[in-house]
């Protein structure tokens, strides 16, 4: 089945699913407490529950963004065949690559891969296994990531523990092929309307991405949000945010930006469609699924 395509100005935006994870709410958002939420929370949370039950569904996917003249991906999932300590990411064999083709994308014709951050579930399909080697999945694309997270990924500490292997199988082959651009936050001139925004905290150099076209905006929040309940309670971090205070500040900034620009917000791990609009509600925010 073909995925829903969203239109923002001249762009078409399509989800490329990889896997679904399932969490107890406090396993995803440690401060989760529905008793403090108002009645507006139910229509926001219910579509993210698994079969209406107590578990939350957290997808992993990419966004494929296309215009007449440019094609790019935002984030690239976990990837197949990876040795990872986090069991749900270990040695996946999904049909993600076939799904890209089914959406009409020739991998050789992708122009850019934009990485919000260097975590294992956002850079995996940067590469694929070919003849016992990791090779760029998109050999004619420029891979774009932030300088700060690029430096973190090169650091020896990143090459052990839960991030072991990510640099070696998903980042280093791109560097060796000379296909990468390490950037600072700000407008990204090669793609008309794209701006990278510094949103540190979930990772040290996390970047959100806005895409403006014909008076409309798409906002790719990366892991600024892990669940829509954080729109109602931006002070609730995920269990995976590395630095708590900057993560909260970045989330507040991103929600304000998305609300004030009436952007269509594209999440990565948000249950339901993972797409919605952020609205101001007094001095707080709320979410409308799209
Ligand atoms: Zn993530």
């Amino acid at each position: 089945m073909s995925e829903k395509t969203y239109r923002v100005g001249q762009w078409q935006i399509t989800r490329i699913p990889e896997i679904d994870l399932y969490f107890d709410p406090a396993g995803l958002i440690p401060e989760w407490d529905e008793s403090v939420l108002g009645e507006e929370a139910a229509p926001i949370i219910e579509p993210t529950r698994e079969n209406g039950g107590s578990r939350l569904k957290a997808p992993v996917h990419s966004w494929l963004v296309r215009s007449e003249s440019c094609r790019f991906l935002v984030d690239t999932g976990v990837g197949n065949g990876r040795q990872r300590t986090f069991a749900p990411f270990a040695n996946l064999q999904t049909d993600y690559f076939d799904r890209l083709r089914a959406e009409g994308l020739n991998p050789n014709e992708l122009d850019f891969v934009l990485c919000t951050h260097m975590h294992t579930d956002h850079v995996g399909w940067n590469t694929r296994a070919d003849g016992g080697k990791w090779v760029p999945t998109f050999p004619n694309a420029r891979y774009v990531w932030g300088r700060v997270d690029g430096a973190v990924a090169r650091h020896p500490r990143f090459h052990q523990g839960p991030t072991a292997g990510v640099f070696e199988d998903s980042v280093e082959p791109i560097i060796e092929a000379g296909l990468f651009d390490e950037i600072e936050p700000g407008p990204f001139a090669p793609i008309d309307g794209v701006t990278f925004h510094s949103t540190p905290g979930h990772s040290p150099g996390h970047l959100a991405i806005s895409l403006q076209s014909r008076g409309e905006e798409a906002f790719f929040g990366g892991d600024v949000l892990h669940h829509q309940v954080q729109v109602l309670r931006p002070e609730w971090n995920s269990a995976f945010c590395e630095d708590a205070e900057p993560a909260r500040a970045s989330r507040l900034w991103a929600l304000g930006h998305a609300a004030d620009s009436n952007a269509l917000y594209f999440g990565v791990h948000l249950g339901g469609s993972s797409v919605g609009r952020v609205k101001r509600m007094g001095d707080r925010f709320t979410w409308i699924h799209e």
Side-chain angles (χ1 to χ4, degrees), residues 20-23 45-58 271-272:
D20 292 318
L21 306 177
Y22 300 93
F23 289 92
I45 295 173
E46 291 311 317
T48 73
R49 294 194 203 274
E50 171 64 7
N51 297 328
S54 61
R55 307 264 284 173
L56 302 174
K57 190 182 204 172

PDB file of all heavy atoms in Angstrom, residues 20-23 45-58 271-272:
ATOM      1  N   ASP A  20       8.331  -0.509  13.877  1.00  0.00           N
ATOM      2  CA  ASP A  20       7.572   0.063  14.985  1.00  0.00           C
ATOM      3  C   ASP A  20       8.114  -0.505  16.288  1.00  0.00           C
ATOM      4  O   ASP A  20       8.318  -1.719  16.407  1.00  0.00           O
ATOM      5  CB  ASP A  20       6.081  -0.280  14.857  1.00  0.00           C
ATOM      6  CG  ASP A  20       5.437   0.414  13.671  1.00  0.00           C
ATOM      7  OD1 ASP A  20       5.735   1.601  13.451  1.00  0.00           O
ATOM      8  OD2 ASP A  20       4.640  -0.246  12.965  1.00  0.00           O
ATOM      9  N   LEU A  21       8.326   0.388  17.245  1.00  0.00           N
ATOM     10  CA  LEU A  21       8.716  -0.019  18.598  1.00  0.00           C
ATOM     11  C   LEU A  21       7.502   0.162  19.509  1.00  0.00           C
ATOM     12  O   LEU A  21       6.617   0.966  19.214  1.00  0.00           O
ATOM     13  CB  LEU A  21       9.872   0.841  19.116  1.00  0.00           C
ATOM     14  CG  LEU A  21      11.117   0.919  18.234  1.00  0.00           C
ATOM     15  CD1 LEU A  21      12.136   1.871  18.851  1.00  0.00           C
ATOM     16  CD2 LEU A  21      11.733  -0.460  18.040  1.00  0.00           C
ATOM     17  N   TYR A  22       7.471  -0.570  20.619  1.00  0.00           N
ATOM     18  CA  TYR A  22       6.356  -0.483  21.558  1.00  0.00           C
ATOM     19  C   TYR A  22       6.903  -0.228  22.950  1.00  0.00           C
ATOM     20  O   TYR A  22       7.833  -0.905  23.392  1.00  0.00           O
ATOM     21  CB  TYR A  22       5.528  -1.772  21.518  1.00  0.00           C
ATOM     22  CG  TYR A  22       4.974  -2.011  20.142  1.00  0.00           C
ATOM     23  CD1 TYR A  22       5.672  -2.799  19.214  1.00  0.00           C
ATOM     24  CD2 TYR A  22       3.799  -1.393  19.740  1.00  0.00           C
ATOM     25  CE1 TYR A  22       5.189  -2.975  17.930  1.00  0.00           C
ATOM     26  CE2 TYR A  22       3.302  -1.569  18.455  1.00  0.00           C
ATOM     27  CZ  TYR A  22       4.011  -2.363  17.552  1.00  0.00           C
ATOM     28  OH  TYR A  22       3.545  -2.519  16.284  1.00  0.00           O
ATOM     29  N   PHE A  23       6.343   0.768  23.618  1.00  0.00           N
ATOM     30  CA  PHE A  23       6.840   1.176  24.933  1.00  0.00           C
ATOM     31  C   PHE A  23       5.696   1.272  25.934  1.00  0.00           C
ATOM     32  O   PHE A  23       4.585   1.693  25.587  1.00  0.00           O
ATOM     33  CB  PHE A  23       7.471   2.576  24.852  1.00  0.00           C
ATOM     34  CG  PHE A  23       8.776   2.639  24.121  1.00  0.00           C
ATOM     35  CD1 PHE A  23       8.803   2.918  22.762  1.00  0.00           C
ATOM     36  CD2 PHE A  23       9.974   2.433  24.790  1.00  0.00           C
ATOM     37  CE1 PHE A  23      10.011   2.993  22.077  1.00  0.00           C
ATOM     38  CE2 PHE A  23      11.183   2.517  24.111  1.00  0.00           C
ATOM     39  CZ  PHE A  23      11.200   2.791  22.753  1.00  0.00           C
ATOM     40  N   ILE A  45      -3.442  11.475  22.517  1.00  0.00           N
ATOM     41  CA  ILE A  45      -2.733  10.248  22.907  1.00  0.00           C
ATOM     42  C   ILE A  45      -3.349   8.993  22.278  1.00  0.00           C
ATOM     43  O   ILE A  45      -2.619   8.085  21.851  1.00  0.00           O
ATOM     44  CB  ILE A  45      -2.728  10.113  24.447  1.00  0.00           C
ATOM     45  CG1 ILE A  45      -1.923  11.261  25.071  1.00  0.00           C
ATOM     46  CG2 ILE A  45      -2.145   8.766  24.873  1.00  0.00           C
ATOM     47  CD1 ILE A  45      -2.002  11.312  26.594  1.00  0.00           C
ATOM     48  N   GLU A  46      -4.700   8.956  22.180  1.00  0.00           N
ATOM     49  CA  GLU A  46      -5.343   7.690  21.769  1.00  0.00           C
ATOM     50  C   GLU A  46      -4.803   7.139  20.443  1.00  0.00           C
ATOM     51  O   GLU A  46      -4.542   5.945  20.340  1.00  0.00           O
ATOM     52  CB  GLU A  46      -6.858   7.840  21.711  1.00  0.00           C
ATOM     53  CG  GLU A  46      -7.528   8.018  23.070  1.00  0.00           C
ATOM     54  CD  GLU A  46      -7.082   7.002  24.111  1.00  0.00           C
ATOM     55  OE1 GLU A  46      -6.969   5.817  23.757  1.00  0.00           O
ATOM     56  OE2 GLU A  46      -6.821   7.391  25.266  1.00  0.00           O
ATOM     57  N   PRO A  47      -4.612   7.980  19.404  1.00  0.00           N
ATOM     58  CA  PRO A  47      -4.123   7.411  18.130  1.00  0.00           C
ATOM     59  C   PRO A  47      -2.706   6.859  18.199  1.00  0.00           C
ATOM     60  O   PRO A  47      -2.258   6.203  17.262  1.00  0.00           O
ATOM     61  CB  PRO A  47      -4.182   8.612  17.167  1.00  0.00           C
ATOM     62  CG  PRO A  47      -5.132   9.572  17.783  1.00  0.00           C
ATOM     63  CD  PRO A  47      -4.967   9.394  19.266  1.00  0.00           C
ATOM     64  N   THR A  48      -2.006   7.136  19.317  1.00  0.00           N
ATOM     65  CA  THR A  48      -0.632   6.649  19.433  1.00  0.00           C
ATOM     66  C   THR A  48      -0.557   5.362  20.250  1.00  0.00           C
ATOM     67  O   THR A  48       0.525   4.814  20.424  1.00  0.00           O
ATOM     68  CB  THR A  48       0.272   7.699  20.114  1.00  0.00           C
ATOM     69  OG1 THR A  48      -0.031   7.772  21.528  1.00  0.00           O
ATOM     70  CG2 THR A  48       0.073   9.077  19.491  1.00  0.00           C
ATOM     71  N   ARG A  49      -1.681   4.910  20.777  1.00  0.00           N
ATOM     72  CA  ARG A  49      -1.669   3.677  21.563  1.00  0.00           C
ATOM     73  C   ARG A  49      -1.755   2.474  20.633  1.00  0.00           C
ATOM     74  O   ARG A  49      -2.386   2.539  19.574  1.00  0.00           O
ATOM     75  CB  ARG A  49      -2.856   3.635  22.524  1.00  0.00           C
ATOM     76  CG  ARG A  49      -2.826   4.687  23.606  1.00  0.00           C
ATOM     77  CD  ARG A  49      -3.852   4.316  24.666  1.00  0.00           C
ATOM     78  NE  ARG A  49      -4.300   5.447  25.440  1.00  0.00           N
ATOM     79  CZ  ARG A  49      -3.677   5.918  26.533  1.00  0.00           C
ATOM     80  NH1 ARG A  49      -2.572   5.343  26.951  1.00  0.00           N
ATOM     81  NH2 ARG A  49      -4.169   6.948  27.182  1.00  0.00           N
ATOM     82  N   GLU A  50      -1.174   1.389  21.064  1.00  0.00           N
ATOM     83  CA  GLU A  50      -1.268   0.152  20.301  1.00  0.00           C
ATOM     84  C   GLU A  50      -2.607  -0.504  20.606  1.00  0.00           C
ATOM     85  O   GLU A  50      -2.862  -0.891  21.763  1.00  0.00           O
ATOM     86  CB  GLU A  50      -0.103  -0.781  20.671  1.00  0.00           C
ATOM     87  CG  GLU A  50      -0.210  -2.173  20.116  1.00  0.00           C
ATOM     88  CD  GLU A  50      -0.163  -2.211  18.596  1.00  0.00           C
ATOM     89  OE1 GLU A  50       0.079  -1.155  17.974  1.00  0.00           O
ATOM     90  OE2 GLU A  50      -0.375  -3.290  18.038  1.00  0.00           O
ATOM     91  N   ASN A  51      -3.464  -0.614  19.588  1.00  0.00           N
ATOM     92  CA  ASN A  51      -4.769  -1.242  19.741  1.00  0.00           C
ATOM     93  C   ASN A  51      -5.553  -0.657  20.914  1.00  0.00           C
ATOM     94  O   ASN A  51      -6.262  -1.383  21.613  1.00  0.00           O
ATOM     95  CB  ASN A  51      -4.620  -2.765  19.932  1.00  0.00           C
ATOM     96  CG  ASN A  51      -3.999  -3.410  18.711  1.00  0.00           C
ATOM     97  OD1 ASN A  51      -4.213  -2.952  17.587  1.00  0.00           O
ATOM     98  ND2 ASN A  51      -3.222  -4.450  18.918  1.00  0.00           N
ATOM     99  N   GLY A  52      -5.407   0.632  21.159  1.00  0.00           N
ATOM    100  CA  GLY A  52      -6.145   1.280  22.232  1.00  0.00           C
ATOM    101  C   GLY A  52      -5.695   0.887  23.623  1.00  0.00           C
ATOM    102  O   GLY A  52      -6.308   1.287  24.616  1.00  0.00           O
ATOM    103  N   GLY A  53      -4.629   0.118  23.747  1.00  0.00           N
ATOM    104  CA  GLY A  53      -4.199  -0.384  25.040  1.00  0.00           C
ATOM    105  C   GLY A  53      -3.200   0.516  25.725  1.00  0.00           C
ATOM    106  O   GLY A  53      -3.094   1.700  25.420  1.00  0.00           O
ATOM    107  N   SER A  54      -2.458  -0.055  26.635  1.00  0.00           N
ATOM    108  CA  SER A  54      -1.588   0.748  27.492  1.00  0.00           C
ATOM    109  C   SER A  54      -0.218   0.984  26.877  1.00  0.00           C
ATOM    110  O   SER A  54       0.557   1.776  27.395  1.00  0.00           O
ATOM    111  CB  SER A  54      -1.417   0.047  28.839  1.00  0.00           C
ATOM    112  OG  SER A  54      -0.815  -1.220  28.642  1.00  0.00           O
ATOM    113  N   ARG A  55       0.098   0.285  25.786  1.00  0.00           N
ATOM    114  CA  ARG A  55       1.411   0.466  25.159  1.00  0.00           C
ATOM    115  C   ARG A  55       1.340   1.567  24.109  1.00  0.00           C
ATOM    116  O   ARG A  55       0.324   1.766  23.458  1.00  0.00           O
ATOM    117  CB  ARG A  55       1.852  -0.839  24.491  1.00  0.00           C
ATOM    118  CG  ARG A  55       1.807  -2.036  25.418  1.00  0.00           C
ATOM    119  CD  ARG A  55       3.122  -2.329  26.047  1.00  0.00           C
ATOM    120  NE  ARG A  55       4.035  -2.963  25.108  1.00  0.00           N
ATOM    121  CZ  ARG A  55       5.313  -3.193  25.400  1.00  0.00           C
ATOM    122  NH1 ARG A  55       5.798  -2.797  26.557  1.00  0.00           N
ATOM    123  NH2 ARG A  55       6.102  -3.792  24.536  1.00  0.00           N
ATOM    124  N   LEU A  56       2.465   2.248  23.941  1.00  0.00           N
ATOM    125  CA  LEU A  56       2.570   3.281  22.917  1.00  0.00           C
ATOM    126  C   LEU A  56       3.373   2.750  21.745  1.00  0.00           C
ATOM    127  O   LEU A  56       4.373   2.046  21.925  1.00  0.00           O
ATOM    128  CB  LEU A  56       3.283   4.515  23.476  1.00  0.00           C
ATOM    129  CG  LEU A  56       2.649   5.165  24.692  1.00  0.00           C
ATOM    130  CD1 LEU A  56       3.562   6.283  25.202  1.00  0.00           C
ATOM    131  CD2 LEU A  56       1.267   5.723  24.365  1.00  0.00           C
ATOM    132  N   LYS A  57       2.925   3.088  20.549  1.00  0.00           N
ATOM    133  CA  LYS A  57       3.638   2.699  19.341  1.00  0.00           C
ATOM    134  C   LYS A  57       4.568   3.843  18.948  1.00  0.00           C
ATOM    135  O   LYS A  57       4.121   4.982  18.817  1.00  0.00           O
ATOM    136  CB  LYS A  57       2.620   2.446  18.236  1.00  0.00           C
ATOM    137  CG  LYS A  57       3.152   1.808  16.987  1.00  0.00           C
ATOM    138  CD  LYS A  57       1.992   1.692  16.007  1.00  0.00           C
ATOM    139  CE  LYS A  57       2.223   0.599  15.012  1.00  0.00           C
ATOM    140  NZ  LYS A  57       1.030   0.349  14.173  1.00  0.00           N
ATOM    141  N   ALA A  58       5.846   3.530  18.779  1.00  0.00           N
ATOM    142  CA  ALA A  58       6.824   4.541  18.374  1.00  0.00           C
ATOM    143  C   ALA A  58       7.507   4.061  17.103  1.00  0.00           C
ATOM    144  O   ALA A  58       8.327   3.150  17.136  1.00  0.00           O
ATOM    145  CB  ALA A  58       7.854   4.767  19.479  1.00  0.00           C
ATOM    146  N   GLY A 271       3.694   8.356  17.294  1.00  0.00           N
ATOM    147  CA  GLY A 271       2.681   7.390  16.878  1.00  0.00           C
ATOM    148  C   GLY A 271       1.574   8.064  16.077  1.00  0.00           C
ATOM    149  O   GLY A 271       1.512   9.286  15.968  1.00  0.00           O
ATOM    150  N   GLY A 272       0.669   7.261  15.522  1.00  0.00           N
ATOM    151  CA  GLY A 272      -0.315   7.774  14.576  1.00  0.00           C
ATOM    152  C   GLY A 272       0.391   8.066  13.267  1.00  0.00           C
ATOM    153  O   GLY A 272       1.289   7.331  12.849  1.00  0.00           O
TER     154      GLY A 272
END
